[in-house]
Every structure is written in structure tokens, then in C-alpha cells.
Amino acid sequence: KESGGKAASVSKAGAAGPLQFMPGTGRRFGLDSTSGADMRYDPQFAARANAAYMNERFEELNRNLEMAIAGYNGGEGRARRIHNEFGGASFWSERVYNEWPAETRDYVPSVLDAAWLFMHGPEYGLSFPRIDPTPSQFVLSHSTTINELTICLGNPANQATWFRVLRDLNPAYEP
């Protein structure tokens, strides 16, 4: 939801990567740029940081999933303030709900909807491909150019995406 699946996405506010971490929040969860690459762009590290972030919000907000999701989108400080001000009331409470900006009021149900559909896909005629996340290596049979390699990774119908795939899979790579 955060980036529309675009690993190189950057918001107007400066949030970056597939899960849109602000620089300070990213550093708190190990997404720094000390290696020379901004780790907020690395899908694997960003996903792990997101899980740690959400666990922290979940515990801080008395295991209130909707408030944790709202805090991710609308700010953890705001979530903490609203949670404390309204005695831990539900995100759906009219008083609490109206404390959030419109973007967050739309964001929370859309994330919950997506999670529900993912968990209950067959009930709605949806199926999701099984992906083997095990890293692998391959050996080229002959020398090749980076351009040829990106063609193999990209969408043959859209040459503009060839380098994007390589970049998204290897955010530390400098062409």
C-alpha cells in the first residue's frame, strides 16, 4: 500500500523505499546508509524493519491492530497521543477516528481489506502464486553485458523496466 510496490519510491515528505520509511525511523530499525546504499530501498531489509516497527507499535498501543496501522501511516507520536487521550479506545470510535487525517482514515481499512483478501483469497476466487524465497545463484554460460542481464530479468514488452528490476533486486548496486 505504501509505495504501490515500487522499491525506489520516495514520498514528498522524504519517506523512501517499498515500505516508505522516513530517514530517522529507518535508522532506528537498522535501515541506514553506512554501507553506501540507503537500506530503506532494500525490500528484504525494509520488510524486516516493518515487522519490528509494527510489533513495537502493537505493544505500545495495547495490541490494538488498527491503531498500530494508523500509527504507521499517520505517525507514531500521533498514535500514542490519541491512544492516551482517549483511554485506548478503538480506532473505529468516532472520537478517535476523527482525530486522524483523511489519508489515514482511508489507509487503515484498505490495509485490513488487503490482508483479509490475502488470508481468505479462495473464498473470493483469488489465488496467489507460491514463491520460493530461497536465494539462489546462477552461472552464465558466456560473458554478457549488464544490459543483456537486465533484459533477462525485465519485462520484454516494456524495455523501460529492464534496469528497474535489477535496481529493485539490488538496491546497493551502482551502475
Side-chain angles (χ1 to χ4, degrees):
K1 174 73 175 136
E2 288 296 311
S3 66
K6 297 179 183 95
S9 181
V10 180
S11 76
K12 290 180 268 181
L19 293 162
Q20 294 291 281
F21 275 94
M22 293 295 287
T25 306
R27 280 190 299 277
R28 254 182 47 222
F29 291 91
L31 302 176
D32 58 31
S33 55
T34 56
S35 66
D38 188 336
M39 298 310 290
R40 295 179 299 160
Y41 294 105
D42 188 302
Q44 175 186 359
F45 290 105
R48 291 175 188 203
N50 178 264
Y53 179 91
M54 289 304 294
N55 283 334
E56 187 178 279
R57 296 288 70 69
F58 196 57
E59 292 304 317
E60 178 183 57
L61 300 168
N62 197 29
R63 305 180 67 76
N64 184 325
L65 179 60
E66 290 88 350
M67 287 294 281
I69 294 168
Y72 185 75
N73 177 261
E76 65 189 72
R78 179 183 282 150
R80 192 177 308 110
R81 177 187 59 76
I82 292 171
H83 175 76
N84 293 336
E85 186 176 321
F86 293 96
S90 167
F91 172 83
W92 304 111
S93 160
E94 185 176 359
R95 301 173 309 148
V96 171
Y97 184 81
N98 288 327
E99 287 290 313
W100 293 98
E103 176 188 340
T104 302
R105 292 193 306 259
D106 292 341
Y107 178 83
V108 172
S110 68
V111 168
L112 293 172
D113 289 348
W116 181 266
L117 289 173
F118 180 76
M119 293 186 309
H120 302 279
E123 296 170 36
Y124 298 92
L126 301 172
S127 62
F128 302 98
R130 295 264 179 222
I131 297 172
D132 180 2
T134 308
S136 61
Q137 291 184 327
F138 60 91
V139 178
L140 300 174
S141 61
H142 62 277
S143 296
T144 188
T145 66
I146 199 73
N147 188 50
E148 289 173 323
L149 181 58
T150 59
I151 291 168
C152 293
L153 294 169
N155 177 353
N158 183 357
Q159 294 181 6
T161 66
W162 292 352
F163 284 100
R164 184 178 303 142
V165 173
L166 184 64
R167 179 201 61 209
D168 290 353
L169 292 172
N170 302 279
Y173 176 72
E174 285 293 331

